[in-house]
Short mmCIF file of all heavy atoms in Angstrom, two decimals:
data_model
loop_
_atom_site.label_atom_id
_atom_site.label_comp_id
_atom_site.label_asym_id
_atom_site.label_seq_id
_atom_site.Cartn_x
_atom_site.Cartn_y
_atom_site.Cartn_z
N ARG A 45 15.68 103.07 13.94
CA ARG A 45 15.51 104.22 13.09
C ARG A 45 16.16 104.16 11.71
O ARG A 45 15.61 104.57 10.64
CB ARG A 45 15.89 105.50 13.88
CG ARG A 45 15.73 106.82 13.09
CD ARG A 45 16.18 108.00 13.87
NE ARG A 45 16.17 109.19 13.00
CZ ARG A 45 16.62 110.40 13.41
NH1 ARG A 45 17.15 110.49 14.58
NH2 ARG A 45 16.46 111.47 12.69
N ASP A 46 17.44 103.68 11.78
CA ASP A 46 18.03 103.63 10.44
C ASP A 46 17.47 102.59 9.47
O ASP A 46 17.40 102.86 8.38
CB ASP A 46 19.54 103.08 10.69
CG ASP A 46 20.37 104.21 11.31
OD1 ASP A 46 20.04 105.39 11.28
OD2 ASP A 46 21.38 103.89 12.00
N SER A 47 16.95 101.43 9.99
CA SER A 47 16.28 100.43 9.12
C SER A 47 15.03 101.11 8.56
O SER A 47 14.77 100.83 7.45
CB SER A 47 15.99 99.24 9.98
OG SER A 47 15.25 98.28 9.30
N VAL A 48 14.28 101.76 9.41
CA VAL A 48 13.04 102.39 8.88
C VAL A 48 13.28 103.45 7.86
O VAL A 48 12.63 103.54 6.79
CB VAL A 48 12.27 102.91 10.07
CG1 VAL A 48 10.99 103.82 9.55
CG2 VAL A 48 11.73 101.91 11.04
N ALA A 49 14.43 104.28 8.04
CA ALA A 49 14.78 105.25 7.11
C ALA A 49 15.18 104.60 5.80
O ALA A 49 14.85 105.13 4.78
CB ALA A 49 15.86 106.19 7.71
N GLN A 50 15.93 103.58 5.93
CA GLN A 50 16.37 102.82 4.69
C GLN A 50 15.17 102.36 3.90
O GLN A 50 15.06 102.31 2.69
CB GLN A 50 17.33 101.72 5.04
CG GLN A 50 18.64 102.15 5.47
CD GLN A 50 19.47 100.93 6.00
OE1 GLN A 50 19.24 99.82 5.71
NE2 GLN A 50 20.44 101.28 6.86
N GLY A 51 14.24 101.76 4.63
CA GLY A 51 13.02 101.24 4.00
C GLY A 51 12.15 102.33 3.36
O GLY A 51 11.71 102.07 2.21
N LEU A 52 11.96 103.43 3.91
CA LEU A 52 11.33 104.50 3.26
C LEU A 52 11.95 105.04 2.09
O LEU A 52 11.24 105.30 1.01
CB LEU A 52 11.10 105.68 4.34
CG LEU A 52 10.17 105.37 5.51
CD1 LEU A 52 10.20 106.52 6.51
CD2 LEU A 52 8.73 105.13 5.02
N ARG A 53 13.25 105.12 2.12
CA ARG A 53 14.05 105.51 0.96
C ARG A 53 13.82 104.59 -0.20
O ARG A 53 13.61 105.04 -1.36
CB ARG A 53 15.54 105.70 1.29
CG ARG A 53 15.86 107.11 1.82
CD ARG A 53 17.41 107.33 1.80
NE ARG A 53 18.25 106.29 2.44
CZ ARG A 53 18.47 106.41 3.78
NH1 ARG A 53 18.07 107.41 4.47
NH2 ARG A 53 19.20 105.42 4.30
N LEU A 54 13.96 103.25 0.10
CA LEU A 54 13.81 102.28 -0.91
C LEU A 54 12.46 102.29 -1.45
O LEU A 54 12.26 102.19 -2.71
CB LEU A 54 14.14 100.92 -0.34
CG LEU A 54 14.48 99.78 -1.23
CD1 LEU A 54 15.59 100.16 -2.26
CD2 LEU A 54 14.96 98.49 -0.45
N PHE A 55 11.36 102.39 -0.65
CA PHE A 55 10.00 102.46 -1.17
C PHE A 55 9.86 103.69 -2.02
O PHE A 55 9.15 103.49 -3.14
CB PHE A 55 9.05 102.59 0.05
CG PHE A 55 7.65 102.41 -0.34
CD1 PHE A 55 7.04 101.14 -0.39
CD2 PHE A 55 6.83 103.53 -0.70
CE1 PHE A 55 5.71 100.93 -0.70
CE2 PHE A 55 5.51 103.31 -1.09
CZ PHE A 55 5.00 102.04 -1.12
N LEU A 56 10.33 104.79 -1.65
CA LEU A 56 10.31 106.03 -2.53
C LEU A 56 10.88 105.83 -3.84
O LEU A 56 10.39 106.22 -4.93
CB LEU A 56 10.79 107.22 -1.71
CG LEU A 56 10.85 108.57 -2.44
CD1 LEU A 56 9.42 108.99 -2.74
CD2 LEU A 56 11.66 109.57 -1.79
N TRP A 57 12.08 105.26 -3.81
CA TRP A 57 12.83 104.97 -5.01
C TRP A 57 12.01 104.03 -5.94
O TRP A 57 11.96 104.23 -7.17
CB TRP A 57 14.15 104.36 -4.67
CG TRP A 57 15.13 104.16 -5.87
CD1 TRP A 57 15.75 103.05 -6.26
CD2 TRP A 57 15.55 105.23 -6.71
NE1 TRP A 57 16.58 103.21 -7.29
CE2 TRP A 57 16.56 104.61 -7.68
CE3 TRP A 57 15.41 106.61 -6.78
CZ2 TRP A 57 17.21 105.26 -8.64
CZ3 TRP A 57 16.10 107.24 -7.87
CH2 TRP A 57 16.93 106.64 -8.77
N GLY A 58 11.51 103.06 -5.35
CA GLY A 58 10.66 101.99 -6.24
C GLY A 58 9.48 102.74 -6.78
O GLY A 58 9.08 102.46 -7.94
N LEU A 59 8.85 103.63 -5.98
CA LEU A 59 7.69 104.34 -6.41
C LEU A 59 7.99 105.29 -7.60
O LEU A 59 7.23 105.40 -8.61
CB LEU A 59 7.09 105.17 -5.30
CG LEU A 59 5.69 105.64 -5.32
CD1 LEU A 59 4.71 104.56 -5.44
CD2 LEU A 59 5.40 106.56 -4.15
N PHE A 60 9.12 105.94 -7.51
CA PHE A 60 9.61 106.78 -8.60
C PHE A 60 9.76 105.92 -9.86
O PHE A 60 9.35 106.30 -11.01
CB PHE A 60 10.95 107.41 -8.18
CG PHE A 60 11.55 108.31 -9.31
CD1 PHE A 60 11.24 109.61 -9.45
CD2 PHE A 60 12.50 107.69 -10.21
CE1 PHE A 60 11.69 110.33 -10.55
CE2 PHE A 60 13.06 108.52 -11.11
CZ PHE A 60 12.65 109.79 -11.34
N LYS A 61 10.45 104.80 -9.71
CA LYS A 61 10.78 103.88 -10.93
C LYS A 61 9.43 103.47 -11.57
O LYS A 61 9.37 103.46 -12.82
CB LYS A 61 11.62 102.75 -10.49
CG LYS A 61 13.11 103.05 -10.17
CD LYS A 61 13.77 102.06 -9.32
CE LYS A 61 14.23 100.85 -10.15
NZ LYS A 61 15.02 99.94 -9.37
N LYS A 62 8.52 103.05 -10.76
CA LYS A 62 7.22 102.56 -11.26
C LYS A 62 6.37 103.71 -11.90
O LYS A 62 5.89 103.56 -13.08
CB LYS A 62 6.44 101.96 -10.07
CG LYS A 62 4.97 101.69 -10.48
CD LYS A 62 4.76 100.69 -11.55
CE LYS A 62 3.31 100.37 -11.80
NZ LYS A 62 3.14 99.53 -13.01
N ILE A 63 6.17 104.81 -11.29
CA ILE A 63 5.16 105.91 -11.73
C ILE A 63 5.77 106.70 -12.75
O ILE A 63 5.27 107.04 -13.80
CB ILE A 63 4.66 106.64 -10.46
CG1 ILE A 63 3.82 105.76 -9.66
CG2 ILE A 63 3.92 107.79 -10.99
CD1 ILE A 63 3.33 106.45 -8.42
N VAL A 64 7.06 107.15 -12.54
CA VAL A 64 7.67 108.17 -13.46
C VAL A 64 8.27 107.40 -14.68
O VAL A 64 8.12 108.12 -15.83
CB VAL A 64 8.77 108.99 -12.68
CG1 VAL A 64 9.37 109.98 -13.76
CG2 VAL A 64 8.20 109.69 -11.50
N ILE A 65 8.73 106.32 -14.53
CA ILE A 65 9.39 105.64 -15.76
C ILE A 65 8.49 104.61 -16.30
O ILE A 65 8.11 104.57 -17.47
CB ILE A 65 10.82 105.07 -15.36
CG1 ILE A 65 11.64 106.19 -14.78
CG2 ILE A 65 11.40 104.43 -16.63
CD1 ILE A 65 13.08 105.79 -14.40
N ALA A 66 8.18 103.52 -15.52
CA ALA A 66 7.54 102.40 -16.06
C ALA A 66 6.20 102.67 -16.61
O ALA A 66 5.81 102.35 -17.73
CB ALA A 66 7.44 101.25 -14.95
N ASN A 67 5.33 103.41 -15.84
CA ASN A 67 4.00 103.70 -16.35
C ASN A 67 4.02 104.43 -17.60
O ASN A 67 3.10 104.32 -18.42
CB ASN A 67 3.20 104.37 -15.30
CG ASN A 67 2.68 103.48 -14.11
OD1 ASN A 67 2.96 102.32 -14.16
ND2 ASN A 67 2.00 104.02 -13.20
N ASN A 68 5.05 105.36 -17.74
CA ASN A 68 4.99 106.14 -19.01
C ASN A 68 5.64 105.45 -20.17
O ASN A 68 5.49 105.97 -21.32
CB ASN A 68 5.76 107.44 -18.64
CG ASN A 68 5.04 108.37 -17.78
OD1 ASN A 68 3.79 108.61 -17.98
ND2 ASN A 68 5.64 108.99 -16.71
N LEU A 69 6.29 104.33 -19.93
CA LEU A 69 6.80 103.50 -20.96
C LEU A 69 5.73 102.53 -21.44
O LEU A 69 5.81 101.92 -22.35
CB LEU A 69 8.05 102.90 -20.67
CG LEU A 69 9.34 103.76 -20.36
CD1 LEU A 69 10.58 102.94 -20.08
CD2 LEU A 69 9.66 104.66 -21.57
N TYR A 70 4.88 102.16 -20.41
CA TYR A 70 3.91 101.10 -20.65
C TYR A 70 2.89 101.34 -21.77
O TYR A 70 2.57 100.40 -22.60
CB TYR A 70 3.12 100.79 -19.37
CG TYR A 70 1.95 99.94 -19.54
CD1 TYR A 70 2.21 98.51 -19.64
CD2 TYR A 70 0.63 100.37 -19.44
CE1 TYR A 70 1.15 97.55 -19.72
CE2 TYR A 70 -0.41 99.44 -19.62
CZ TYR A 70 -0.27 98.10 -19.78
OH TYR A 70 -1.21 97.23 -19.82
N GLU A 71 2.41 102.58 -21.87
CA GLU A 71 1.28 102.86 -22.78
C GLU A 71 1.71 102.48 -24.27
O GLU A 71 0.92 101.80 -24.89
CB GLU A 71 0.93 104.30 -22.64
CG GLU A 71 0.31 104.77 -21.33
CD GLU A 71 -1.11 104.14 -21.15
OE1 GLU A 71 -1.69 103.51 -22.07
OE2 GLU A 71 -1.66 104.28 -20.02
N PRO A 72 2.81 102.91 -24.86
CA PRO A 72 3.14 102.50 -26.12
C PRO A 72 3.32 100.88 -26.33
O PRO A 72 2.80 100.38 -27.30
CB PRO A 72 4.42 103.31 -26.47
CG PRO A 72 4.42 104.41 -25.53
CD PRO A 72 3.78 103.85 -24.24
N VAL A 73 3.90 100.39 -25.30
CA VAL A 73 4.09 98.99 -25.32
C VAL A 73 2.76 98.24 -25.37
O VAL A 73 2.44 97.30 -26.17
CB VAL A 73 4.99 98.49 -24.10
CG1 VAL A 73 5.02 96.92 -24.07
CG2 VAL A 73 6.36 99.11 -24.28
N SER A 74 1.89 98.64 -24.46
CA SER A 74 0.51 98.05 -24.43
C SER A 74 -0.23 98.28 -25.66
O SER A 74 -0.95 97.37 -26.15
CB SER A 74 -0.22 98.59 -23.12
OG SER A 74 -1.51 98.22 -23.14
N GLN A 75 -0.21 99.54 -26.22
CA GLN A 75 -0.92 99.85 -27.29
C GLN A 75 -0.50 98.94 -28.50
O GLN A 75 -1.37 98.44 -29.34
CB GLN A 75 -0.68 101.35 -27.75
CG GLN A 75 -1.42 101.77 -28.97
CD GLN A 75 -1.19 103.26 -29.20
OE1 GLN A 75 -1.08 104.10 -28.25
NE2 GLN A 75 -1.10 103.62 -30.46
N VAL A 76 0.71 98.75 -28.80
CA VAL A 76 1.20 97.89 -29.92
C VAL A 76 0.85 96.50 -29.75
O VAL A 76 0.36 95.85 -30.63
CB VAL A 76 2.72 98.14 -29.98
CG1 VAL A 76 3.29 97.08 -30.98
CG2 VAL A 76 3.03 99.51 -30.64
N TYR A 77 1.06 95.92 -28.51
CA TYR A 77 0.78 94.54 -28.27
C TYR A 77 -0.73 94.18 -28.30
O TYR A 77 -1.13 93.10 -28.64
CB TYR A 77 1.39 94.03 -27.07
CG TYR A 77 2.91 93.56 -27.22
CD1 TYR A 77 3.88 94.50 -26.77
CD2 TYR A 77 3.28 92.45 -27.97
CE1 TYR A 77 5.24 94.18 -27.01
CE2 TYR A 77 4.55 92.18 -28.10
CZ TYR A 77 5.55 93.06 -27.73
OH TYR A 77 6.87 92.71 -27.80
N ASN A 78 -1.54 95.17 -28.01
CA ASN A 78 -3.00 94.94 -28.09
C ASN A 78 -3.55 95.01 -29.52
O ASN A 78 -4.65 94.50 -29.79
CB ASN A 78 -3.74 95.97 -27.20
CG ASN A 78 -3.55 95.68 -25.68
OD1 ASN A 78 -3.40 94.51 -25.37
ND2 ASN A 78 -3.59 96.68 -24.92
N GLY A 79 -2.72 95.42 -30.44
CA GLY A 79 -3.14 95.48 -31.83
C GLY A 79 -1.89 95.41 -32.68
O GLY A 79 -1.76 96.19 -33.57
N VAL A 80 -1.05 94.35 -32.44
CA VAL A 80 0.27 94.18 -33.16
C VAL A 80 0.11 94.27 -34.64
O VAL A 80 0.95 94.67 -35.38
CB VAL A 80 0.94 93.00 -32.51
CG1 VAL A 80 0.34 91.74 -32.98
CG2 VAL A 80 2.40 92.99 -32.95
N HIS A 81 -0.99 93.67 -35.19
CA HIS A 81 -1.08 93.57 -36.62
C HIS A 81 -1.32 94.91 -37.29
O HIS A 81 -1.36 95.00 -38.52
CB HIS A 81 -2.16 92.57 -36.93
CG HIS A 81 -1.83 91.21 -36.54
ND1 HIS A 81 -1.12 90.25 -37.34
CD2 HIS A 81 -2.17 90.44 -35.43
CE1 HIS A 81 -1.04 89.18 -36.71
NE2 HIS A 81 -1.65 89.25 -35.57
N ASN A 82 -1.55 95.94 -36.52
CA ASN A 82 -1.70 97.28 -37.03
C ASN A 82 -0.42 98.00 -37.26
O ASN A 82 -0.39 99.16 -37.65
CB ASN A 82 -2.65 98.08 -36.16
CG ASN A 82 -4.07 97.44 -36.21
OD1 ASN A 82 -4.55 96.96 -37.11
ND2 ASN A 82 -4.63 97.54 -34.88
N TYR A 83 0.66 97.38 -36.78
CA TYR A 83 2.05 98.21 -36.78
C TYR A 83 2.99 97.41 -37.54
O TYR A 83 3.09 96.07 -37.67
CB TYR A 83 2.47 98.47 -35.33
CG TYR A 83 1.51 99.15 -34.51
CD1 TYR A 83 0.56 98.55 -33.76
CD2 TYR A 83 1.65 100.53 -34.50
CE1 TYR A 83 -0.40 99.36 -33.06
CE2 TYR A 83 0.81 101.31 -33.70
CZ TYR A 83 -0.17 100.71 -33.01
OH TYR A 83 -1.11 101.50 -32.26
N THR A 84 3.99 98.19 -38.11
CA THR A 84 5.13 97.59 -38.82
C THR A 84 6.41 98.53 -38.58
O THR A 84 6.24 99.61 -38.10
CB THR A 84 4.90 97.49 -40.34
OG1 THR A 84 4.66 98.76 -40.86
CG2 THR A 84 3.85 96.48 -40.66
N GLY A 85 7.50 98.03 -38.94
CA GLY A 85 8.77 98.91 -39.03
C GLY A 85 9.02 99.70 -37.82
O GLY A 85 9.28 99.10 -36.73
#
């Protein structure tokens, strides 16, 4: 039971990092690199 509980907590933590943080930082990064010559400064 403890191992399963640890696994579920870790999965939830990873899901939070991916969806709440990474995905919301990705859009500007992707936008600039897909048209880098349109940006400066």
Side-chain angles (χ1 to χ4, degrees):
R45 181 181 174 183
D46 289 339
S47 180
V48 173
Q50 290 171 25
L52 291 173
R53 275 195 301 271
L54 197 51
F55 189 90
L56 178 63
W57 186 236
L59 200 60
F60 176 86
K61 289 161 76 174
K62 167 61 176 171
I63 292 179
V64 178
I65 302 178
N67 283 359
N68 290 316
L69 297 180
Y70 171 74
E71 293 292 351
V73 174
S74 174
Q75 181 178 324
V76 167
Y77 277 105
N78 286 334
V80 66
H81 295 275
N82 298 322
Y83 298 91
T84 59

